[in-house]
Amino acid sequence: MDAKANPYGALTDVPGVLVGQAERIGDGWLTGVTAVIPPPGTLGAVDVRGGGPGTHETDTLAPGTLVDTVDAVTLAGGSSYGLVAAVGVQRWCEEHGRGVPVGPGVVVPVVPAAIVFDLGKGGDPTARPDADLGYQAATNAAGGAIRTGCVGAGTGAAFSISSLKGGIGTASIRLDGGVIVGALAVANAFGSPCLPDSGALLAAQYVEDESLRPRVPDPSEAAAHTSAPLSGDQLNTTLAVVATNARLSHPQLGRMASAAHDGLARAVRPVHTLVDGDSIFALATGQIEPRVAALGSWPGAAEVGGIAAVQAAAADAVTLAIVDAVLAATAVRTPAIDLAAYLDRYPSARPSAYPHRPPST
């Protein structure tokens, strides 16, 4: 969809966080890159749960390493070939003076990355993101509304079991005291976001605003997405970036990344399988001390409660981001070998919020 105010909020609601995307569609292409660029000095962490991950520089985010901060996060299609997109994002960061100073006028940007499997979704398995597409995504980075659906790293995304088109989704949760937790997800799972009997979204119950809650599709609409998996061997991966303006330590941020996986488990079944590379990055800009009403009279109760609230919100934001990705996705016809010729959109998408504009390939 075109960039507009998202009904569930956005990752860019966290002050200073920018998102840029670039994609190629047609002539064998159906893939892209999403770059998340936080403010300088942002802490980073990651939690990888899937059995088939494709990642770059995630070891730098482990506790006890030399550098705790990240300059950008790159999400890309193209399987492991797409990891080269991070080189383009790193080049953009270098041009803008973002990175670890290692000498007079010299910086080394820290740009961890992860990929989804979408090889051949557009028909040509050699049409995959490169460093230039990563650079373009970083160049497009901006605050405000985020394009969602079949864009960026979600361009070729799909749910294997339900034969549904996946894509990019985003959401945010606002807590007391000005703390914001946002998420951006690339929904590209082996599992399904739908209940097997009715076709209703697993995560619909977590959409508190009834006006934004996805409806249950009628039986004729749901049938194709409850019993017709894509043909051929499927490799997948759902990725997410969660960010907050709360002040967290590096271990606390790592726990936030871990908690965010609970949001994925609410929205897709099964998750973290051998053919998924599910990975979630967490970012903390450190602008606000997280506090909530004290859990007790003991010292530090308010701070502990605030940190726990941030971690819980990370899971909620990822759940809503997956819902958003499903509803924002558009159908696509593809000549891809060993895939269904038609990847459908979820039948409950709200026309007023998510106009149906299928890309042609």
Side-chain angles (χ1 to χ4, degrees):
M1 63 178 286
D2 293 333
K4 60 164 64 169
N6 191 284
Y8 301 122
L11 180 68
T12 48
D13 290 340
V14 179
V17 174
L18 309 178
V19 173
Q21 305 192 86
E23 61 277 336
R24 292 191 64 180
I25 299 172
D27 296 327
W29 290 84
L30 191 66
T31 191
V33 179
T34 298
V36 177
I37 302 178
T42 295
L43 291 183
V46 67
D47 190 325
V48 180
R49 298 277 182 97
T55 59
H56 168 76
E57 278 201 319
T58 51
D59 284 351
T60 63
L61 305 184
T65 53
L66 177 64
V67 179
D68 289 335
T69 59
V70 300
D71 298 293
V73 176
T74 304
L75 310 178
S79 188
S80 61
Y81 295 105
L83 290 172
V84 72
V87 175
V89 178
Q90 187 180 46
R91 174 159 53 95
W92 182 92
C93 289
E94 180 186 24
E95 291 176 356
H96 289 78
R98 298 175 57 99
V100 180
V102 295
V106 181
V107 296
V108 177
V110 179
V111 184
I115 49 81
V116 299
F117 187 93
D118 61 4
L119 285 181
K121 290 287 179 67
D124 182 358
T126 67
R128 52 219 184 202
D130 56 14
D132 288 341
L133 198 62
Y135 183 85
Q136 182 182 342
T139 301
N140 293 339
I146 297 174
R147 292 189 302 137
T148 56
C150 305
V151 299
T155 302
F159 293 93
S160 292
I161 288 180
S162 55
S163 298
L164 282 171
K165 188 71 181 70
I168 291 280
T170 189
S172 66
I173 305 292
R174 295 178 182 270
L175 303 176
D176 293 340
V179 171
I180 302 172
V181 181
L184 180 146
V186 185
N188 183 64
F190 171 73
S192 173
C194 306
L195 289 167
D197 53 353
S198 66
L201 288 187
L202 288 163
Q205 61 185 311
Y206 299 105
V207 180
E208 295 183 0
D209 187 337
E210 291 190 8
S211 67
L212 298 176
R213 189 173 299 161
R215 68 173 176 85
V216 178
D218 65 48
S220 62
E221 292 176 313
H225 310 301
T226 57
S227 60
L230 292 177
S231 60
D233 295 331
Q234 292 305 302
L235 301 174
N236 299 86
T237 291
T238 293
L239 306 175
V241 177
V242 290
T244 181
N245 59 345
R247 186 174 298 116
L248 302 177
S249 68
H250 197 256
Q252 291 165 350
L253 185 62
R255 181 56 55 186
M256 174 177 151
S258 298
H261 275 282
D262 294 343
L264 174 57
R266 295 173 191 159
V268 178
R269 188 175 64 185
V271 293
H272 308 143
T273 73
L274 190 63
V275 294
D276 287 293
D278 302 331
S279 305
I280 296 183
F281 295 92
L283 305 172
T285 63
Q287 297 160 336
I288 296 178
E289 192 71 37
R291 294 175 60 89
V292 298
L295 302 176
S297 59
W298 48 278
E303 288 78 7
V304 170
I307 294 166
V310 169
Q311 294 169 350
D316 293 340
V318 169
T319 297
L320 291 177
I322 296 293
V323 171
D324 186 53
V326 174
L327 298 183
T330 49
V332 60
R333 294 191 179 278
T334 169
I337 299 172
D338 291 333
L339 289 177
Y342 185 69
L343 293 173
D344 204 359
R345 69 198 292 251
Y346 184 69
S348 179
R350 300 184 303 281
S352 60
Y354 300 113
H356 181 40
R357 291 191 299 276
S360 58
T361 60

